[in-house]
Amino acid sequence: MYNISFLPTFAIAMETAAFSSTPSLISPSINKPFLSQELNRGNVAKLGILASGDGSNFEAVAQAIQTRQLNAKIEVLIYNNPDAYVAKRAENSNIPAVLLNHRDYTQREDLDTAIAKTLQQYNVEIVVMAGWMRIVTQVLIDAFPDKIINIHPSLLPSFKGSRAIEQALASGVKITGCTVHLVSLEVDSGKILMQSAVPILPEDTLKTLHSRIQAEEHKILPAAIAIYRLH
Ligand code: GRF
């Protein structure tokens, strides 16, 4: 038998937990004063961003820099699709953009050699894959060991690969999210830096879920870069 007198207390506890637990959906948790004070110490981090498409994550990083949430500079954007909107975003922000079209290279390694060379020309220290839809090779990993960061739209290690949101929807899980991690040779498998959880709602479509996941990506990508810089 349940002790009925326990129930009201439990209800209040649940309500409080629901309210106060919102920030802990992001882990490690972040708060604005920490971001603005602690993370602006030290040198300006020189970032190189790799992106394939729209570039909303590129924009989130650029904005975090502009609002001094992140002590960094985007030295160069590398993109691989000639019509990617991210190039326009870079132009609007006066950030150099270099097109390295993967269709011009027969081997993945050749593309990565060109990417590494470009990043080195711009003196990049940290590489950020922000919607970069190419599989990385040892060439790029060797050029920037433990210095490549990726954003992935699931709570890794669940739902690796390019159809993570579709997989989450099809699987019936009730919570998914996004992960910022270091890049290793095995796809979506490197050390996890930060995650944010996103509930899947009964009426969710690919579009609605992706849009809520992206809102979280825009929070954790700049924050994870900032935290990474401290180590
Ligand atoms: C993001 O959802 C990212 O997780 C995935 O590709 C998307 C890129 O979006 N790998 P955007 O180009 O940054 O808007």
Side-chain angles (χ1 to χ4, degrees):
M1 284 295 287
Y2 294 104
N3 176 357
I4 298 201
S5 67
F6 161 80
L7 286 176
T9 319
F10 178 71
I12 291 166
M14 283 300 285
E15 203 175 301
T16 312
F19 180 73
S20 63
S21 70
T22 306
S24 72
L25 289 172
I26 291 178
S27 186
S29 66
I30 47 171
N31 63 60
K32 290 274 161 97
F34 174 69
L35 280 180
S36 54
Q37 291 159 24
E38 294 298 316
L39 303 178
N40 280 321
R41 288 209 221 120
N43 297 331
V44 177
K46 297 176 176 184
L47 308 182
I49 299 198
L50 271 52
S52 297
D54 180 66
S56 66
N57 281 288
F58 169 89
E59 188 90 43
V61 174
Q63 273 180 19
I65 292 170
Q66 211 181 0
T67 57
R68 304 177 72 82
Q69 297 277 307
L70 178 60
N71 188 20
K73 182 176 176 217
I74 304 173
E75 300 289 346
V76 64
L77 163 76
I78 295 175
Y79 64 108
N80 64 312
N81 289 318
D83 56 354
Y85 185 66
V86 68
K88 184 78 193 152
R89 294 186 194 263
E91 190 188 325
N92 293 343
S93 304
N94 291 318
I95 292 169
V98 176
L99 171 65
L100 295 177
N101 190 334
H102 62 276
R103 299 159 191 91
D104 297 338
Y105 301 84
T106 42
Q107 308 277 340
R108 287 186 195 281
E109 284 78 5
D110 298 339
L111 172 66
D112 277 2
T113 301
I115 292 171
K117 211 170 141 196
T118 306
L119 292 169
Q120 281 154 357
Q121 275 164 0
Y122 282 87
N123 297 315
V124 164
E125 296 162 345
I126 302 171
V127 184
V128 180
M129 294 181 166
W132 178 246
M133 305 309 280
R134 307 301 305 164
I135 291 174
V136 74
T137 70
Q138 195 67 49
V139 170
L140 193 53
I141 290 177
D142 285 349
F144 290 90
D146 282 336
K147 292 199 169 77
I148 310 175
I149 291 171
N150 183 46
I151 178 94
H152 180 75
S154 78
L155 291 177
L156 291 173
S158 293
F159 312 127
K160 297 175 181 179
S162 63
R163 303 181 75 81
I165 304 174
E166 290 94 322
Q167 285 183 62
L169 270 174
S171 75
V173 295
K174 303 299 179 201
I175 298 175
T176 184
C178 48
T179 302
V180 181
H181 65 95
L182 291 183
V183 170
S184 61
L185 201 53
E186 200 184 330
V187 173
D188 300 327
S189 297
K191 182 185 171 191
I192 291 174
L193 299 175
M194 188 171 272
Q195 293 185 302
S196 181
V198 175
I200 296 183
L201 308 177
E203 64 274 20
D204 259 336
T205 61
L206 186 58
K207 198 171 166 202
T208 58
L209 182 56
H210 193 185
S211 131
R212 290 205 316 288
I213 289 174
Q214 279 210 311
E216 295 305 303
E217 290 183 344
H218 301 161
K219 291 179 206 162
I220 68 168
L221 182 57
I225 297 168
I227 283 174
Y228 170 85
R229 285 191 62 236
L230 292 179
H231 296 99

